[in-house]
Amino acid sequence: DVKVTQSSRYLVKRTGEKVFLECVQDMDHENMFWYRQDPGLGLRLIYFSYDVKMKEKGDIPEGYSVSREKKERFSLILESASTNQTSMYLCASCVRSSYNEQFFGPGTRLTVL
Amino acid sequence: AQSVTQLGSHVSVSEGALVLLRCNYSSSVPPYLFWYVQYPNQGLQLLLKYTSAATLVKGINGFEAEFKKSETSFHLTKPSAHMSDAAEYFCAVNHSGGYQKVTFGIGTKLQVIP
């Protein structure tokens, strides 16, 4: 079974803190993704990576950065957390093919106070 | 640009009734289409996918979807709703180009009434 794990299920941070969200997949997938999920807006792509050290901006990259030093690990970084970054964050991975599905982690619910 | 539109952010059905969740897509090239389900406090999991092999696609848990090019639709159906079907459902379209970037719809929350 493909497994995508995220470092925390729930996280509470203060405005201005630097926040790291970690994602690990165990299926040797080339592609990894970070989304945020908000009610009424569905899933919006923040960043994705198609190889180690490679990254591409998604639809809403402002305020975020990412790191992919190893194939299995993709980190999302909030340099200075703000209250409007309170959200559910979902990590996903997949093989490099147009028709293969993405496998999702359980999500991290981040609250920024 | 490719996109999907899900009609109805909330749908309620009675247990045993037909489930119909609507999805229309916009794509300049033949699309790959997906339906995902998200149960409370979980990530998304794949229900089914269309990859041009067959227009009627069967998925898990008794769900199926039919690709209709003339209507640019990919509606999700299940003949008889079960309480365990209560979840949020997302339609998604794949962008061509090899990086597997996907655009998701806003989701439809399905409520099943006993």
Side-chain angles (χ1 to χ4, degrees):
Chain A
D1 262 3
V2 175
K3 191 143 186 168
V4 180
T5 57
Q6 295 183 229
S7 50
S8 305
R9 291 300 304 272
Y10 300 93
L11 209 51
V12 180
K13 295 292 181 181
R14 298 213 173 269
T15 302
E17 279 193 80
K18 190 168 186 175
V19 182
F20 292 87
L21 303 183
E22 304 284 337
C23 175
V24 177
Q25 50 95 2
D26 66 358
M27 282 301 291
D28 204 36
H29 287 168
E30 294 88 359
N31 297 346
M32 295 188 75
F33 308 81
W34 275 107
Y35 297 91
R36 64 176 283 175
Q37 181 180 11
D38 301 287
L41 297 177
L43 274 71
R44 293 180 291 167
L45 182 65
I46 304 171
Y47 268 97
F48 67 101
S49 168
Y50 51 90
D51 204 346
V52 175
K53 296 192 186 295
M54 306 303 288
K55 61 185 179 185
E56 291 284 340
K57 292 181 179 179
D59 300 316
I60 51 164
E62 297 78 18
Y64 303 94
S65 62
V66 290
S67 171
R68 193 162 180 206
E69 296 296 319
K70 293 185 177 181
K71 190 174 185 179
E72 68 272 17
R73 188 179 297 269
F74 192 35
S75 303
L76 180 70
I77 304 152
L78 287 66
E79 295 289 343
S80 177
S82 63
T83 55
N84 62 13
Q85 293 178 309
T86 292
S87 186
M88 169 70 88
Y89 290 87
L90 293 167
C91 175
S93 71
C94 69
V95 298
R96 190 176 296 150
S97 166
S98 295
Y99 55 82
N100 276 307
E101 70 267 29
Q102 296 184 9
F103 293 86
F104 284 81
T108 296
R109 187 167 293 281
L110 173 68
T111 302
V112 183
L113 302 175
Chain B
Q2 288 150 310
S3 65
V4 289
T5 301
Q6 290 185 243
L7 296 174
S9 58
H10 290 80
V11 170
S12 293
V13 299
S14 298
E15 191 174 16
L18 171 72
V19 176
L20 171 60
L21 304 183
R22 299 178 188 274
C23 174
N24 288 88
Y25 69 90
S26 168
S27 176
S28 57
V29 297
Y32 295 121
L33 295 160
F34 307 82
W35 275 100
Y36 287 84
V37 61
Q38 184 180 34
Y39 298 104
N41 297 317
Q42 294 185 27
L44 279 68
Q45 63 183 83
L46 183 73
L47 265 182
L48 49 82
K49 64 183 179 184
Y50 167 75
T51 60
S52 77
T55 56
L56 183 62
V57 182
K58 294 188 184 297
I60 62 172
N61 301 336
F63 283 92
E64 62 182 38
E66 187 172 8
F67 174 73
K68 291 187 177 180
K69 186 177 179 181
S70 60
E71 299 177 8
T72 62
S73 68
F74 190 56
H75 302 330
L76 182 70
T77 60
K78 181 173 180 178
S80 176
H82 192 272
M83 295 299 295
S84 61
D85 295 327
E88 191 159 17
Y89 293 80
F90 293 90
C91 183
V93 62
N94 171 255
H95 296 249
S96 60
Y99 293 151
Q100 235 273 311
K101 187 181 168 192
V102 170
T103 297
F104 288 84
I106 64 169
T108 298
K109 274 194 177 165
L110 177 66
Q111 180 187 22
V112 182
I113 303 165

